């Protein structure tokens, strides 16, 4: 009998009861706007900012309307201007070059390695071309952060970290997002905490923090922020920053706070699922597992593997055969973007040059979500299906 998987790759778990109760409390009092507070009330957004700052060990935190909006605010706050060039990974998700385009700047794409991280040799070669690196820890893969910071410090490049896939991850024990000048996280449904849309920005730099708060649309009510610098810092910037409206509201913050408390437990559950798939597919002929470095404590909310040198026809066959058995693999090497799988060559507004190494990696890159609604047994079944179908196509060729 051929086994078929019947689970849904885009189904999240329900939110915790505590989140439902917190949401109802906000809905009952009606003060959804973050600055709409009773005397003495801190508000859900300000509390979330304090708690998230403590979670990653940052001085300052700003909650935003989305991860992409956090990145846009961060780029502006570190001084990116229209026409500037910004270094970024060639392998990332569309909102990353999109955030660069939104400030009128121009991405300079850096190659990816077959470990799925930014190629540090290519970064070193290109570091002189820009003053800012928007580093995307795409799919949760973290590069050698010590070497990356050496390269960027030597070239005077400010590092903005996109931690959409590394919320809760660490590199050598340091929380992801704490190496660069500023880091951005997403609380969009498919990330590690779910508020539909939402984002968080953290930094230890008081000027970046104040500018980001002002840019996010604080209507000069910045003293209602708690994980923010003092009024004297805002005084330096309050007339200089445009209001770009990208705030979070109390309803979303209310449902995020209980999820933040649960995040370490959720990460352990994700990683158990990740390891079950990884073990199950390891050793499949023709398939390369992406090995994780010891310095990295990652969050296995998705898994990637490589079909190196396979060619589009064979990869297409694997996709089709797995899908027939209920396993939804995504491919980052397709000629056309499907869903979220667009890659640098599809971002024509950025006039990307050809990146041979990245093309080689992406041509065989398979990607799969691991929602927490999957059981460990589900993950073992998925791995058996991938193993069988990859093996069958590989043998036939
Ligand atoms: C989701 C995502 C973002 C942006 O987050 P949104 O909240 O959807 O705006 C940025 N970078 C990466 C790598 C992402 O996956």
């Amino acid at each position: 009998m051929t086994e078929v998987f019947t689970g849904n790759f885009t189904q999240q778990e329900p939110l915790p009861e505590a989140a439902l109760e917190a949401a109802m409390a906000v809905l009952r009092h009606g003060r959804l706007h973050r600055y709409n507070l009773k005397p003495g009330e801190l508000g859900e957004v300000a509390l979330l900012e304090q708690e998230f700052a403590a979670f990653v060990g940052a001085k300052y935190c700003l909650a935003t309307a989305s991860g992409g909006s956090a990145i846009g605010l961060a780029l502006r706050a570190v001084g990116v201007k229209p026409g500037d060039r910004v270094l970024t990974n060639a392998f990332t998700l569309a909102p990353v070059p999109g955030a660069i385009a939104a400030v009128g700047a121009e991405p300079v794409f850096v190659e990816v390695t077959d470990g799925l991280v930014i190629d540090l040799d290519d970064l070193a070669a290109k570091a002189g071309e820009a003053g800012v690196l928007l580093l995307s820890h795409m799919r949760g893969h973290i590069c050698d952060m010590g070497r990356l910071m050496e390269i960027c410090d030597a070239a005077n490049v400010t590092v903005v970290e996109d931690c959409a896939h590394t919320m809760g991850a660490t590199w050598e024990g340091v929380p992801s997002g704490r190496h660069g000048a500023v880091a951005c996280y997403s609380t969009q449904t498919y990330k590690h905490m779910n508020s539909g849309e939402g984002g968080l920005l953290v930094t230890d730099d008081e000027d970046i923090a104040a500018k980001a708060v002002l840019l996010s649309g604080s209507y000069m009510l910045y003293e209602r922020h708690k994980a923010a610098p003092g009024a004297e810092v805002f005084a330096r910037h309050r007339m200089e920053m445009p209001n770009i409206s990208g705030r979070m509201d109390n309803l979303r913050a209310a449902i995020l706070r209980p999820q933040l408390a649960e995040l370490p437990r959720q990460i352990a559950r994700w990683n158990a699922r990740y390891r079950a798939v990884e073990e199950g597919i390891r050793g499949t002929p023709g398939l390369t597992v992406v090995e994780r470095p010891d310095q990295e404590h990652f969050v296995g909310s998705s898994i990637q593997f490589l079909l190196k040198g396979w060619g589009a026809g064979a990869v297409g066959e694997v996709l089709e055969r797995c899908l027939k058995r209920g396993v939804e693999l995504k491919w980052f090497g397709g000629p056309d973007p499907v869903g979220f799988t667009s890659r640098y060559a599809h971002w024509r507004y950025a006039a990307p040059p050809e990146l041979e190494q990245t093309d080689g990696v992406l041509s065989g890159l398979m990607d799969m979500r691991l929602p927490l609604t999957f059981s460990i047994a589900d993950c073992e079944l998925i791995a058996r299906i991938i193993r069988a179908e990859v093996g069958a196509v590989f043998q036939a060729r």
Side-chain angles (χ1 to χ4, degrees), residues 28-39:
R28 288 204 170 97
H29 67 53
R31 295 183 297 279
L32 271 72
H33 195 283
R34 69 166 297 160
Y35 299 130
N36 188 2
L37 303 170
K38 278 199 307 199

Side-chain angles (χ1 to χ4, degrees), residues 65-69 71 92-93 95-96 136-139 162 164-165 185-188 191 197-199:
S66 72
S69 115
I71 297 173
T92 184
L93 227 62
V96 175
S136 183
H137 303 294
M138 179 62 173
R139 287 296 182 256
D162 164 26
H165 304 162
Y185 305 79
S186 170
T187 62
Q188 191 238 75
K191 316 296 163 103
E197 304 284 357

